[in-house]
Amino acid sequence: MKLAIAASAATLGLLLAGGADRAQADEKLAQANGCMTCHQIDKKVLGPGFKDVAAKYRGDKAAEANLIKKVKEGGKGAWGDMMMPPNAHVKDPDIATLVKWILAQK
């Protein structure tokens, strides 16, 4: 019994550590693609903080697809008059990863 509990705890620890590693990799992807020039995780710079983006779109089932399109094509109006430039240079799978990471911010 004790062995089973220890094994379960170890597995849970590895899963949680893997999630932290994934989040760090996603943040590095955001940095590498210039996202952090205009955004930060928890505060507004030129664009909104990622936590604010996640809060705004929480519960919106179309948010992921809409934000993938907006990141790729650019746009303005959702957060004021500041335009977000298109990011067509970023690979589609990377944009999808970044949007999922942004929407997961709490």
Side-chain angles (χ1 to χ4, degrees):
M1 179 70 164
K2 288 182 184 179
L3 183 58
I5 292 171
S8 295
T11 301
L12 179 60
L14 289 173
L15 289 173
L16 292 174
D21 289 344
R22 177 79 257 153
Q24 287 178 335
D26 293 344
E27 185 173 348
K28 286 182 181 181
L29 183 62
Q31 291 169 342
N33 284 291
C35 304
M36 306 303 267
T37 303
C38 297
H39 301 275
Q40 292 295 308
I41 293 173
D42 58 355
K43 65 180 176 182
K44 179 182 183 343
V45 181
L46 293 175
F50 293 141
K51 287 184 179 184
D52 291 335
V53 173
K56 179 174 184 168
Y57 294 105
R58 194 163 286 123
D60 179 348
K61 298 200 184 302
E64 186 175 324
N66 291 338
L67 290 175
I68 287 171
K69 182 178 180 190
K70 183 169 268 190
V71 169
K72 184 170 182 101
E73 296 175 3
K76 76 176 196 175
W79 296 92
D81 290 333
M82 177 65 74
M83 179 166 180
M84 184 170 99
N87 291 281
H89 66 284
V90 181
K91 297 175 189 169
D92 289 348
D94 289 346
I95 292 174
T97 296
L98 289 165
V99 166
K100 287 177 186 175
W101 172 71
I102 292 164
L103 291 173
Q105 299 299 310
K106 295 191 183 261

